[in-house]
Amino acid sequence: MNKKFTRRTFLKWSGAAAATIAAVPALPKMISWAEGASLEGSADFVRSYCEMCTSRCPIQAKVVDGKTVLINGNPDWAATGGTVCARGGSGFSQLYDPQRIQKPMIRAGERGEGKWREVSWDEAYAFIAEKMGAIKTKYGPEAMAFANRGGTHMAYMVTLARAFGTPNTFTHEATCPQARTVALNATFGTPALGIDYGNVKYLLSLGRNHFEGIHVAQARGVMNALSKGGKLVSVDPRYSITSMKAHEWYPIKPGTDLALMLAINHVLIRDRLYDEDFVARYTDGFEVLKGSITEYTPAWAEKQTGIKSTDIERIAKELAGAKPRAVVDWGWRTQTTPEEFELRRAIVITNMLLGNLEVPGGTFFVKSPAFINGLVGKEVVQDMKGWKTPPFPAPGKPRLDGAGVKGQPNFMVPPADGVVQTIPEAILTEQPYPVKGWFVLRYNPVATIPHTQRVMDAIKKLDLLVVCDIYMTDTAWMADVVLPESTYLERDEGFNASHGAVPGFTLRQQVVKPVYDTKPHWEIFKSLAEKMGLGSYFPYHSIDEIRLAQMGGRADLVKETKDKGFLSFGFKPVFLRDKNSVAAFAAKVPEAASLVNEQGIIDKPLLNLKTASKKIELLSSQAQALFGRGVPVYRPVKLAEENQLFFVQGKTALHTNGHTHNVPWLFDLFPAARLWIHPETAAKIGLKDGDKVEYESSTGKYQAKVLITAGVRPDTTFAYFGFGRTSPGLKRAYQQGANSNMVLPMAVAPVCGTTLQTTGITIRKV
Ligand SMILES: Nc1nc2c(c(=O)[nH]1)N[C@H]1C(S)=C(S)[C@@H](COP(=O)(O)OP(=O)(O)OC[C@H]3O[C@@H](n4cnc5c(=O)[nH]c(N)nc54)[C@H](O)[C@@H]3O)O[C@H]1N2
Ligand SMILES: Nc1nc2c(c(=O)[nH]1)N[C@H]1C(S)=C(S)[C@@H](COP(=O)(O)OP(=O)(O)OC[C@H]3O[C@@H](n4cnc5c(=O)[nH]c(N)nc54)[C@H](O)[C@@H]3O)O[C@H]1N2
Ligand code: SF4
Ligand SMILES: [Mo]
C-alpha cells in the first residue's frame, strides 16, 4: 500500500464499500427521557462535571421534580462551548439503570459463579477489614495492591494504602498515555504539557483520533483550527472519523510510526528547516541527534511505513513552513508498539525542532497554580491544600513493579502510576513477593488489561478482591466484595484540578439524591479506615470541610465555584514566548513584569528545567545513562507473523473504554462492534459482510461478526475497543461484539512500562 489518500481519492478507491466505513450502526431507537420524570414542575440547574469518561467536561444538569432530565455542557465553560458528547448526554441513562449495583455484596458461591449475598455497608467494611488484616499478618502489608483509574478518587485510595503500609498503588496509565508521560518527563523534566489546538495551522496526527477518542475541548479546538484554514493530516492504519475529517489520510503499516518521525526529523535537520535560534537557546544534545538521524531517509522510511518518500518530504516541509504553529500530536493512548518510548520521544523532538513551545498554536507548559506561583515567587493563585494526616509507616519492601526504584527496569515510570499489568504477574509468580489482595476502584482490569485469561487466572489465586464500581463489571463479577459507589450525578466531591494554558478547578456537585443504597468514595474510605483502626488518616467529617481545606480556608472561592461550577482566576491563556499574552499576564500579575526580557517574553523557566542540563533534552541524559536510549533509534518490531493480520483498536464516539457498554441509551446506539476487514482479505478467506469468524492469536481467541470495509489496510484488522464483555452481570453487553484483550499479549515496554495493544491474528469462518 503506497498511496496518498485525500477524501476524494479514498472514496473513488473504496467504491461501494465506502458506505460501510463509518461502522456506526443504524439510527438509534427512540428512548423516553428519564423514565417517570415529568417535564413540568420546578426545574433546577446544577453545575458539576461529567464522569462518563475521564475528559471530565464541565456540565449543567437540569433537574425536574428531583429527577435529572437533561445534561448539557456548562454554558460558561468556553473551551467546550457548553456542549457535551453523546456519552455525556446519556449520563442519566446510567443513573437510572436498574442493572447498576444497588447494594454492597459479598460473594456467596465460588469465585465468578455469580452468587451473592446482599449485606449492609457495615458488614462489608468489617469483612474487608478482617481479610486485609489477615493478609497483613501472614504476608506483610505489601501483599495488598490497590488500583484505581486515577483522578479524584486517587488521594483517598493512596491514603488508605499508605496508612495500611503498602507501597503498591497503581493507576491505569500503563495501559494508556504512559509512554507520552515518560517521554515528556525525559525531555522537559515534567510531563505537564499541553497543545493549543485551536490556533494550530498544521496538525499531524499519528493515531490521535480526536473525533472518536473525544475530549470535547480538544475536539472543538481542532475543529476551530480547521475552520480557520488549518490543515489536518491523519496517519492511521484505518479510516477513522478523524481521518475522514482530515485533508490527507495515510494508512501506515501498524507499528512503524517511529520510522516516519525519524525521517521527518531527518528532513528538518538535513535541509536546516528547523528553528535554529530555538534549538540553540533552549535545547541540549542537538549534535548527537543530528548524527543519529543520517540514515533515516524518507526512502528508508517508505520501506518501513508504506508512505511514499515524496509525501514524507512534503509533510516535513509543510510542517516547517507552518512553524511555530505546526504540531505533531504526541498522542493519548500510546500502545502501538513495544518501542513506544522512542516513538513518543521522536514526536516530542520534532515539536522542539519546530520551535513550537510556549506560543499560540503550539505546545505549552500547563499553567497550574504551582507553576504560576513558582514563576513569580509568591502565591498569586490559590492552589489545593488538602488535609493533614499523621505520618505514614515506612513500607517494608519496595514497589512490586520497581517503578521509581533505583536499578530497576521501570525506574523512569512515575511511581504514582506504576506498571499495572505487573499486578497479575506478581500474583501468579509470587515475584518479587506474594500478592494476596487487590483493591480495585473505578477500574476494570479484567476488561482493559491485555491477556484477559491471565488476569482472571491471577484473580482466582487471590485471598481478597474488593471492587468499588457502579456496575457488575467483568472485574466485579470475580470479586469477594462489591461496593457500589454513587454515580457522579449523586455525589458531592472536592475540587478537581483542570489546568491548561490557564489555571482552573472544577467541582462535582450532587445533582440528585442516590437512587440506590450507594455512597461516595470519600465516605467509603473514611468508614473503612475507621473499621481498620486507621481513622486518624481521614480526619474530615463532611464534604464542606474537605472543600474548605482544599481551598486553604477560602470560603469565598468555594462559594464561587459552587455557583459557577468552576473556579478560574481571570487569566487569558498564558504563552511565555508570545509577547501579547506575556503583556496581558504581566498586567494582571505585577510580580511578573520583572521577568519579561528585552524581546517582551518570559523564558526563564525554559532555561531552568528539571533536567540534568536544565534545558530541553533532545538527548535525554537520564535515558542515555540508564538504558542507552538518549536519542530515538529505530529497532524493528515484529507485531504479527507472516501468515497473520495485524489487529488494532480505537475508541468509538459512542462508548467509553470498558465502562459504558451496558448503559441503556449507549447500548441501544451501538450494541456490538464488528471486526473490520478489507474486501481483498475477506475474499481470500471467503467471507461475506456479517459472517461470524473466530480470530486467534498466540494468546487466545474470540468470535465476532466481520464488517467488510476498505477503511482498513488489507494486512490489518480493526475493532472498536470495549466490547465482548465477560460479566453475565452486564445483562445487555455480555458477550456482545468483538473482544480485544482476549487476544492481546501481556507486555511491558522498555523504559516506559506500557502494555501493547497491537498483535497478530488469524481468522477463520465459523
Ligand atoms: N468516545 C470516547 N472518547 C474517549 C474515550 C472513549 O473510550 N470513548 N476514551 C478516552 C481515553 S481513556 C483516551 S486514552 C482517549 C484516546 O484517544 P486516542 O488515542 O486519540 O483514541 P483511539 O481511538 O484509541 O486512537 C487510536 C487510533 O490509532 C490507530 N492506530 C492503531 N495502531 C496504529 C499505529 O500503529 N499507528 C498509527 N498511526 N495509528 C494506529 C487506531 O486505528 C485508532 O484510530 O480518548 C478519550 N476519549
Ligand atoms: N486492547 C485494548 N485495551 C485497552 C484499550 C484499547 O484501546 N485496547 N484502551 C486502554 C485505555 S486508553 C484505557 S484509558 C483503559 C481504560 O480502562 P479503565 O481504566 O478500566 O477505565 P474505564 O473502562 O473507562 O472505567 C473503569 C471503570 O470505572 C467504572 N466507573 C465509572 N464511573 C464510576 C464512578 O463514578 N465510581 C466508580 N467507583 N466507578 C466508576 C466503570 O463502570 C468501569 O468499570 O483501557 C485500556 N485498555
Ligand atoms: S468527553 Fe463526553 S463523556 Fe467524556 S467527560 Fe466530556 S462530555 Fe463526558
Ligand atoms: Mo486512555
Side-chain angles (χ1 to χ4, degrees):
M1 185 168 299
N2 188 355
K3 229 171 152 95
K4 173 184 144 193
F5 292 86
T6 60
R7 253 176 288 180
R8 234 180 123 80
T9 54
F10 172 72
L11 290 175
K12 221 162 58 188
W13 177 64
S14 60
T20 59
I21 280 162
V24 176
L27 281 175
K29 266 201 273 177
M30 285 302 291
I31 308 161
S32 60
W33 296 99
E35 285 81 0
S38 119
L39 288 173
E40 308 298 316
S42 65
D44 285 323
F45 292 90
V46 184
R47 289 179 171 200
S48 184
Y49 63 90
C50 184
E51 190 80 18
M52 293 301 282
C53 88
T54 43
S55 297
R56 303 199 167 101
C57 306
I59 56 169
Q60 173 170 278
K62 180 177 179 182
V63 184
V64 176
D65 294 340
K67 281 210 159 196
T68 316
V69 295
L70 188 64
I71 298 169
N72 280 323
N74 183 329
D76 294 327
W77 187 259
T80 59
T83 61
V84 284
C85 77
R87 298 162 299 147
S90 305
F92 56 87
S93 175
Q94 171 180 279
L95 167 68
Y96 295 115
D97 184 3
Q99 285 188 31
R100 279 177 52 194
I101 316 167
Q102 303 193 2
K103 271 189 89 58
M105 290 192 294
I106 293 181
R107 173 162 70 83
E110 291 299 307
R111 192 183 289 288
E113 205 188 352
K115 291 196 179 140
W116 302 97
R117 186 162 62 83
E118 285 190 352
V119 295
S120 67
W121 280 93
D122 200 58
E123 190 176 346
Y125 296 141
F127 181 91
I128 298 168
E130 196 225 302
K131 293 270 180 191
M132 279 178 63
I135 288 171
K136 190 176 191 170
T137 309
K138 200 158 167 202
Y139 304 99
E142 64 283 351
M144 271 304 299
F146 287 73
N148 162 15
R149 194 166 188 317
T152 48
H153 294 81
M154 195 64 189
Y156 303 89
M157 184 192 84
V158 171
T159 301
L160 183 69
R162 296 281 179 271
F164 182 75
T166 178
N168 292 317
T169 56
F170 296 80
T171 67
H172 81 292
E173 300 269 304
T175 64
C176 183
Q178 197 132 281
R180 179 189 77 190
T181 307
V182 176
L184 288 171
N185 240 333
T187 315
F188 300 100
T190 170
L193 281 94
I195 295 174
D196 180 32
Y197 290 106
N199 294 305
V200 170
K201 278 195 190 154
Y202 195 103
L203 181 63
L204 172 60
S205 159
L206 287 78
R208 173 68 185 98
N209 183 10
H210 279 283
F211 301 119
E212 292 179 287
I214 297 173
H215 179 293
V216 173
Q218 292 183 8
R220 280 178 65 89
V222 178
M223 287 195 295
N224 283 340
L226 292 178
S227 68
K228 286 190 269 182
K231 180 163 178 178
L232 174 63
V233 174
S234 168
V235 175
D236 195 315
R238 60 112 196 179
Y239 194 62
S240 66
I241 305 277
T242 307
S243 311
M244 207 179 278
K245 306 260 181 230
H247 295 82
E248 292 168 20
W249 170 49
Y250 295 93
I252 193 170
K253 182 176 175 189
T256 64
D257 299 62
L258 177 57
L260 171 63
M261 291 320 302
L262 292 173
I264 288 176
N265 291 347
H266 173 99
V267 176
L268 293 177
I269 294 175
R270 182 198 67 197
D271 296 354
R272 297 184 73 159
L273 296 172
Y274 61 96
D275 184 334
E276 292 189 54
D277 292 343
F278 181 93
V279 166
R281 182 162 169 80
Y282 300 112
T283 73
D284 187 65
F286 178 74
E287 287 307 318
V288 180
L289 175 73
K290 186 175 173 183
S292 73
I293 45 92
T294 45
E295 282 167 22
Y296 301 132
T297 61
W300 165 83
E302 175 175 333
K303 291 201 197 91
Q304 320 296 321
T305 60
I307 302 175
K308 271 190 180 165
S309 62
T310 45
D311 286 324
I312 300 175
E313 293 266 357
R314 185 178 46 76
I315 291 170
K317 286 172 187 156
E318 287 178 1
L319 277 167
K323 73 176 186 302
R325 294 188 183 222
V327 172
V328 186
D329 206 310
W330 40 53
W332 193 344
R333 178 172 69 85
T334 57
Q335 311 284 328
T336 54
T337 89
E339 289 297 305
E340 211 65 37
F341 171 70
E342 306 275 323
L343 170 59
R344 302 301 147 180
R345 275 273 297 158
I347 296 175
V348 174
I349 288 170
T350 315
N351 283 301
M352 293 309 102
L353 292 175
L354 295 168
N356 70 15
L357 184 63
E358 286 296 334
V359 292
T363 59
F364 60 84
F365 289 110
V366 167
K367 305 300 182 306
S368 65
F371 185 98
I372 296 212
N373 294 339
L375 183 68
V376 300
K378 174 174 181 223
E379 183 163 298
V380 296
V381 204
Q382 185 73 36
D383 202 354
M384 279 202 273
K385 304 270 189 307
W387 61 90
K388 299 236 177 330
T389 54
F392 296 123
K397 298 218 169 115
R399 291 181 59 92
L400 69 88
D401 59 355
V405 179
K406 270 211 183 103
Q408 294 292 316
N410 293 323
F411 173 74
M412 284 177 71
V413 174
D417 297 306
V419 182
V420 72
Q421 70 274 29
T422 61
I423 297 178
E425 294 307 301
I427 297 168
L428 286 166
T429 62
E430 308 210 344
Q431 295 300 324
Y433 44 74
V435 173
K436 297 289 174 180
W438 194 0
F439 195 117
V440 172
L441 167 72
R442 203 229 179 289
Y443 186 44
N444 188 3
V446 171
T448 63
I449 294 184
H451 204 158
T452 308
Q453 192 55 51
R454 210 163 158 76
V455 180
M456 286 178 160
D457 289 347
I459 288 176
K460 286 182 197 144
K461 250 192 97 184
L462 287 173
D463 289 354
L464 176 68
L465 175 65
V466 181
V467 174
C468 173
D469 206 290
I470 52 179
Y471 271 110
M472 186 50 82
T473 64
D474 318 81
T475 311
W477 189 255
M478 313 262 317
D480 296 280
V481 195
V482 179
L483 304 175
E485 181 164 26
S486 305
T487 65
Y488 68 102
L489 295 169
E490 301 164 298
R491 63 180 192 248
D492 281 312
E493 274 187 43
F495 285 84
N496 171 50
S498 182
H499 315 308
V502 291
F505 294 98
T506 50
L507 189 67
R508 177 157 285 145
Q509 306 202 69
Q510 189 183 57
V511 174
V512 292
K513 296 259 178 313
V515 178
Y516 305 115
D517 183 11
T518 60
K519 291 188 189 298
H521 54 268
W522 51 269
E523 194 183 322
I524 296 173
F525 278 106
K526 180 178 168 69
S527 305
L528 187 55
E530 282 169 353
K531 233 358 159 224
M532 297 167 69
L534 300 170
S536 58
Y537 291 92
F538 295 84
Y540 53 80
H541 302 90
S542 70
I543 192 66
D544 287 337
E545 206 182 323
I546 294 174
R547 288 170 173 168
L548 201 58
Q550 283 182 304
M551 277 299 126
R554 292 278 305 271
D556 58 324
L557 295 180
V558 177
K559 162 103 180 48
E560 184 184 334
T561 323
K562 280 183 170 179
D563 295 343
K564 285 206 325 218
F566 62 88
L567 179 62
S568 67
F569 298 92
F571 290 92
K572 295 221 170 74
V574 189
F575 302 103
L576 297 174
R577 292 179 55 246
D578 171 62
K579 274 193 217 160
N580 292 337
S581 67
V582 164
F585 179 56
K588 179 158 169 68
V589 182
E591 290 84 352
S594 65
L595 299 166
V596 181
N597 69 15
E598 53 288 358
Q599 277 95 45
I601 63 170
I602 299 178
D603 69 356
K604 207 174 139 199
L606 277 63
L607 294 161
N608 192 25
L609 297 172
K610 289 200 178 96
T611 53
S613 61
K614 298 203 181 300
K615 292 204 173 174
I616 299 164
E617 294 204 344
L618 303 180
L619 167 76
S620 163
S621 44
Q622 192 181 41
Q624 182 61 33
L626 294 173
F627 304 104
R629 286 174 178 253
V631 287
V633 169
Y634 197 68
R635 295 175 185 81
V637 291
K638 190 158 196 157
L639 296 170
E641 300 298 327
E642 302 311 319
N643 65 333
Q644 291 181 317
L645 298 164
F646 295 105
F647 174 52
V648 302
Q649 305 95 55
K651 311 296 179 207
T652 154
L654 298 173
H655 281 292
T656 302
N657 302 322
H659 167 182
T660 58
H661 299 68
N662 206 58
V663 172
W665 272 44
L666 297 170
F667 174 80
D668 280 330
L669 283 167
F670 193 1
R674 298 200 211 167
L675 196 63
W676 293 22
I677 184 163
H678 190 273
E680 285 166 16
T681 317
K684 277 190 203 146
I685 310 175
L687 296 176
K688 292 191 307 301
D689 194 50
D691 275 352
K692 194 163 184 192
V693 295
E694 183 167 273
Y695 52 103
E696 183 166 13
S697 70
S698 56
T699 304
K701 55 188 176 187
Y702 204 76
Q703 295 189 349
K705 288 184 179 168
V706 291
L707 175 87
I708 298 180
T709 168
V712 64
R713 288 170 57 97
D715 62 0
T716 303
T717 54
F718 168 85
Y720 282 118
F721 173 61
F723 292 85
R725 306 308 286 272
T726 60
S727 166
L730 301 170
K731 294 197 180 76
R732 303 178 194 94
Y734 180 51
Q735 292 184 338
Q736 294 293 310
N739 179 296
S740 300
N741 282 324
M742 290 277 188
V743 298
L744 284 159
M746 149 72 189
V748 179
V751 190
C752 58
T754 51
T755 55
L756 175 62
Q757 293 161 2
T758 312
T759 196
I761 55 170
T762 51
I763 292 180
R764 68 175 183 88
K765 194 173 164 183
V766 290

